[in-house]
């Protein structure tokens, strides 16, 4: 949710920059270009054909921010994955559109801020602004001036935080950028900014080449899918046309069969009506002319012959019904063939759906692989942070050891000064009388002991990591003359290790 809000701030500026007439609406062609650039910089796979179809030119006119937000949320922001794109490239895209409207220079091309500084200030404003449009600054997060100091910024270290003040905003931006660059180079173990920028440019070129190759591969794959889809649609249209022809033929056959049936039925009904009329007339003549038996027998014979014809007509009707039954069986067979063709059509449709599902599954596997690479990158960054912390602790240990070494070196120099002062020879012009008691105080064993102690202290100071001996404070007091206590006697091991002083 936080990433979506940050992206919406920059996109809002880009949308308002395209609204040249300040009407609150942007043309569809400009929104199509903006959407395509957002797809590219956010590394979101998309269908160019669907993009053209969505923003096709029609009579609806330009689109407002409320009309563009559903498409922006559904097809762009919902598909954004954190870590899959470079935030600076996204901000640079939105700033390129924003600068045309909000960043102006004089006739000579000069301005108070350079384009890069203005871009950084714009990014800082978006970061500190509230989620209300138009954007306004959050007062609690501003870096305010105080105590008469302007353009202040903070440098946080492991021990304390340093507050600094620059003469102007541009110098403060240069200081912060230089400090951040030095910290990043030191953390990465790099010593040359030129080599780092060269490496970055090389990586950016390689990344652009990879993106271009991936884009071309994706376009080729989409083109192949589109061609396969068109081929399937053509086959489907051919099958539908064949089905329509079969239905038309069946309908014509059914109409013809029904017409024949109606004609046969009308003929049979006519014959039956004629037979009924003949029978009625025969009965009337039999009732009226019973005396005419011969003629009646002749008439009966005629009637019998007519009845024979009627029976033949009935047999013809039975045969017609049987023919109708055979036609119905043929119709049933045609319907079964139609069902078989429909099954084949459904099978082709299922194969097309399975192909689409396989394409969707390959897309999901690609997204999972991208997520896995993102997690691996995060783990590598975490390991790098742990190595940095270990190196920082090692630097602190080395600094403590160096402080101890400097302290030991100071103590050794002090002891050398004191020994040189004590071992100063007596000049011939010295007025102090030389007595046996004063000479006896300067005994060789004591001098040898001090000399050996001095050499041990020198060796101890050269090592740098050992702690001073417990008697070092007392010896220092004795050499400084602060106390008259005699120096402690050396152990037999120290007398063996330290050679006697030369005369």
């Amino acid at each position: 949710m936080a990433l979506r809000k940050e992206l919406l701030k920059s996109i809002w500026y880009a949308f308002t920059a395209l609204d040249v007439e300040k009407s609150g609406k942007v043309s569809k062609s400009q929104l199509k270009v903006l959407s395509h650039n957002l797809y590219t910089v956010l590394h979101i796979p998309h269908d160019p054909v669907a993009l053209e179809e969505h923003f096709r030119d029609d009579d609806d006119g330009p689109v407002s921010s409320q009309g563009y937000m559903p498409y922006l949320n559904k097809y762009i922001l919902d598909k954004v994955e954190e870590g899959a794109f470079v935030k600076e490239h996204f901000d640079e895209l939105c700033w390129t559109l924003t600068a045309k409207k909000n960043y102006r220079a004089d006739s000579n091309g000069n301005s108070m801020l350079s384009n890069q500084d203005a871009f950084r200030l714009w990014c800082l404003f978006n970061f500190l602004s509230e989620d209300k449009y138009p954007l306004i600054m959050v007062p609690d997060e501003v870096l305010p001036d105080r105590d008469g100091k302007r353009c202040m910024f903070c440098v946080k270290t492991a021990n304390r935080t340093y507050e600094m003040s620059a003469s102007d905003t541009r110098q403060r931006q240069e200081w912060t950028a230089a400090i951040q660059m030095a910290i990043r180079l030191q953390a990465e173990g790099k010593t040359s900014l030129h080599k780092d920028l060269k490496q970055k440019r090389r990586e950016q070129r390689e990344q652009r080449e990879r993106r271009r190759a991936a884009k071309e591969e994706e376009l080729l794959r989409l083109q192949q899918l589109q061609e396969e889809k068109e081929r399937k649609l053509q086959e489907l249209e051919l099958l539908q046309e064949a089905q329509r022809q079969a239905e038309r033929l069946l309908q014509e056959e059914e109409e013809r069969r029904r017409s024949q049936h109606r004609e046969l039925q009308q003929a049979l009904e006519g014959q039956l009506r004629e037979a009924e009329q003949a029978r009625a007339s025969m009965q009337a003549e039999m009732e009226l002319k019973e005396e005419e038996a011969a003629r009646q027998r002749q008439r009966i014979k005629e009637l019998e012959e007519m009845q024979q014809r009627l029976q033949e007509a009935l047999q013809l009707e039975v045969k017609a019904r049987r023919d109708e039954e055979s036609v119905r069986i043929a119709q049933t067979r045609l319907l079964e063939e139609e069902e078989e063709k429909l099954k084949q059509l459904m099978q082709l449709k299922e194969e097309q759906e399975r192909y689409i599902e396989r394409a969707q599954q390959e897309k999901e596997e690609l997204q999972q692989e991208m997520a896995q690479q993102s997690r691996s990158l995060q783990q590598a960054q975490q390991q790098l942070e742990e190595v940095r912390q270990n190196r920082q602790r090692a630097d602190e240990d080395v600094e403590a050891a160096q402080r101890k070494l400097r302290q030991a070196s100071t103590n050794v120099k002090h002891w050398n000064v004191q020994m040189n002062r004590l071992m100063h020879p007596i000049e011939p012009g010295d007025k102090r009388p030389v007595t046996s008691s004063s000479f006896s105080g300067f005994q060789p064993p004591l001098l040898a002991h001090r000399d050996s102690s001095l050499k041990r202290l020198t060796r101890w100071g050269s090592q740098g990591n050992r702690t001073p001996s417990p008697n070092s404070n007392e010896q220092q007091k004795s050499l400084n003359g602060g106390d008259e206590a005699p120096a402690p006697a050396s152990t037999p091991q120290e007398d063996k290790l330290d050679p006697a002083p030369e005369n």
Side-chain angles (χ1 to χ4, degrees), residues 201-216:
R201 288 193 296 269
R202 184 183 296 110
E203 293 176 356
Q204 289 177 358
R205 287 196 299 271
E206 294 176 355
Q207 188 177 8
R208 285 196 297 269
E209 288 295 329
R210 288 194 298 269
R211 286 200 302 266
R212 184 181 61 78
K215 184 178 179 181
E216 291 178 356

Side-chain angles (χ1 to χ4, degrees), residues 151-162:
C151 303
M152 296 185 66
F153 62 97
C154 298
V155 179
K156 295 184 179 181
T157 62
N159 298 326
R160 58 175 297 183
T161 301
Y162 298 91

Side-chain angles (χ1 to χ4, degrees), residues 134-264:
L135 301 177
I136 59 175
M137 187 73 73
V138 181
D140 297 337
E141 297 185 6
V142 179
L143 303 170
D145 300 336
R146 59 179 180 174
D147 298 335
K149 297 180 180 180
R150 300 174 61 251
C151 303
M152 296 185 66
F153 62 97
C154 298
V155 179
K156 295 184 179 181
T157 62
N159 298 326
R160 58 175 297 183
T161 301
Y162 298 91
E163 294 184 354
M164 300 182 183
S165 176
S167 59
D168 53 13
T169 306
R170 182 174 183 179
Q171 187 176 7
R172 179 180 65 178
Q173 186 68 24
E174 293 176 354
W175 271 97
T176 54
I179 293 173
Q180 291 175 356
M181 180 66 68
I183 293 174
R184 184 178 61 83
L185 292 177
Q186 182 67 23
E188 295 177 357
K190 299 177 182 178
T191 58
S192 175
L193 177 60
H194 177 70
K195 292 181 179 179
D196 182 48
L197 294 176
K198 185 177 180 181
Q199 180 66 23
K200 281 188 175 180
R201 288 193 296 269
R202 184 183 296 110
E203 293 176 356
Q204 289 177 358
R205 287 196 299 271
E206 294 176 355
Q207 188 177 8
R208 285 196 297 269
E209 288 295 329
R210 288 194 298 269
R211 286 200 302 266
R212 184 181 61 78
K215 184 178 179 181
E216 291 178 356
E217 183 178 357
E218 182 182 0
L219 290 176
L220 180 60
R221 184 172 59 85
L222 290 175
Q223 185 177 2
Q224 293 176 353
L225 290 176
Q226 185 67 22
E227 292 176 356
E228 183 69 18
K229 181 179 178 181
E230 291 177 356
R231 187 176 63 82
K232 294 290 185 181
L233 288 176
Q234 291 177 359
E235 293 178 357
L236 183 61
E237 289 178 357
L238 292 176
L239 291 175
Q240 290 177 353
E241 182 65 25
Q243 181 182 0
R244 286 194 294 268
Q245 291 179 0
E247 291 177 353
R248 186 168 59 254
L249 291 176
L250 289 175
Q251 187 175 3
E252 292 176 356
E253 182 66 21
E254 181 68 18
E255 289 293 334
R256 186 178 62 81
R257 187 184 61 80
R258 290 178 180 177
S259 177
Q260 291 178 355
H261 181 71
R262 285 195 298 270
E263 291 176 357
L264 182 60

Side-chain angles (χ1 to χ4, degrees), residues 265-282:
Q265 187 175 6
Q266 289 177 359
L268 292 174
E269 289 178 354
Q271 291 177 1
L272 288 174
R273 283 196 300 272
E274 290 177 358
E276 290 292 335
Q277 292 175 1
R279 186 181 293 112
S281 62
M282 183 185 62

Side-chain angles (χ1 to χ4, degrees), residues 401-416:
Q402 290 178 354
R403 287 199 302 270
K404 292 181 181 179
L405 178 59
R406 288 194 297 271
Q407 183 65 30
S409 299
T410 304
N411 293 335
V412 170
K413 290 180 181 179
H414 180 73
W415 278 49
N416 287 332

Side-chain angles (χ1 to χ4, degrees), residues 5-250:
K5 292 181 180 179
E6 293 300 324
L7 295 179
L8 274 176
K9 292 178 182 179
S10 300
I11 296 175
W12 179 81
Y13 269 109
F15 184 89
T16 54
L18 295 175
D19 183 14
V20 181
E21 299 179 357
K22 297 181 180 180
S23 61
K25 296 183 178 181
V26 179
S27 64
K28 288 188 175 182
S29 60
Q30 291 177 324
L31 290 180
K32 179 177 66 177
V33 175
L34 175 62
S35 301
H36 183 270
N37 292 330
L38 291 177
Y39 279 127
T40 303
V41 77
L42 294 175
H43 296 174
I44 299 175
H46 65 286
D47 186 4
V49 178
L51 180 64
E52 293 287 343
E53 181 67 19
H54 186 83
F55 291 102
R56 65 179 185 274
D57 294 332
D58 49 18
D59 299 334
D60 295 339
V63 180
S64 63
S65 59
Q66 291 81 8
Y68 182 60
M69 280 301 297
Y71 179 84
L72 181 65
N73 289 322
K74 181 177 180 181
Y75 294 98
I76 299 180
L77 296 180
D78 290 346
K79 298 180 180 180
V80 172
E81 295 183 1
E82 189 171 1
F85 66 96
V86 182
K87 181 68 163 53
E88 294 179 357
H89 296 170
F90 169 77
D91 292 333
E92 288 176 357
L93 169 65
C94 297
W95 170 250
T96 303
L97 299 175
T98 305
K100 296 179 181 179
K101 181 179 180 181
N102 299 317
Y103 180 76
R104 297 185 179 88
D106 55 10
S107 59
N108 298 326
N110 300 323
S111 179
M112 296 180 62
L113 293 176
S114 63
N115 188 20
Q116 188 67 20
D117 293 338
F119 167 65
R120 293 172 180 172
L121 186 62
W122 179 72
C123 293
L124 180 62
F125 176 81
N126 289 340
F127 177 73
L128 298 177
S129 61
E130 295 182 351
D131 299 332
K132 297 180 179 179
Y133 300 94
L135 301 177
I136 59 175
M137 187 73 73
V138 181
D140 297 337
E141 297 185 6
V142 179
L143 303 170
D145 300 336
R146 59 179 180 174
D147 298 335
K149 297 180 180 180
R150 300 174 61 251
C151 303
M152 296 185 66
F153 62 97
C154 298
V155 179
K156 295 184 179 181
T157 62
N159 298 326
R160 58 175 297 183
T161 301
Y162 298 91
E163 294 184 354
M164 300 182 183
S165 176
S167 59
D168 53 13
T169 306
R170 182 174 183 179
Q171 187 176 7
R172 179 180 65 178
Q173 186 68 24
E174 293 176 354
W175 271 97
T176 54
I179 293 173
Q180 291 175 356
M181 180 66 68
I183 293 174
R184 184 178 61 83
L185 292 177
Q186 182 67 23
E188 295 177 357
K190 299 177 182 178
T191 58
S192 175
L193 177 60
H194 177 70
K195 292 181 179 179
D196 182 48
L197 294 176
K198 185 177 180 181
Q199 180 66 23
K200 281 188 175 180
R201 288 193 296 269
R202 184 183 296 110
E203 293 176 356
Q204 289 177 358
R205 287 196 299 271
E206 294 176 355
Q207 188 177 8
R208 285 196 297 269
E209 288 295 329
R210 288 194 298 269
R211 286 200 302 266
R212 184 181 61 78
K215 184 178 179 181
E216 291 178 356
E217 183 178 357
E218 182 182 0
L219 290 176
L220 180 60
R221 184 172 59 85
L222 290 175
Q223 185 177 2
Q224 293 176 353
L225 290 176
Q226 185 67 22
E227 292 176 356
E228 183 69 18
K229 181 179 178 181
E230 291 177 356
R231 187 176 63 82
K232 294 290 185 181
L233 288 176
Q234 291 177 359
E235 293 178 357
L236 183 61
E237 289 178 357
L238 292 176
L239 291 175
Q240 290 177 353
E241 182 65 25
Q243 181 182 0
R244 286 194 294 268
Q245 291 179 0
E247 291 177 353
R248 186 168 59 254
L249 291 176
L250 289 175

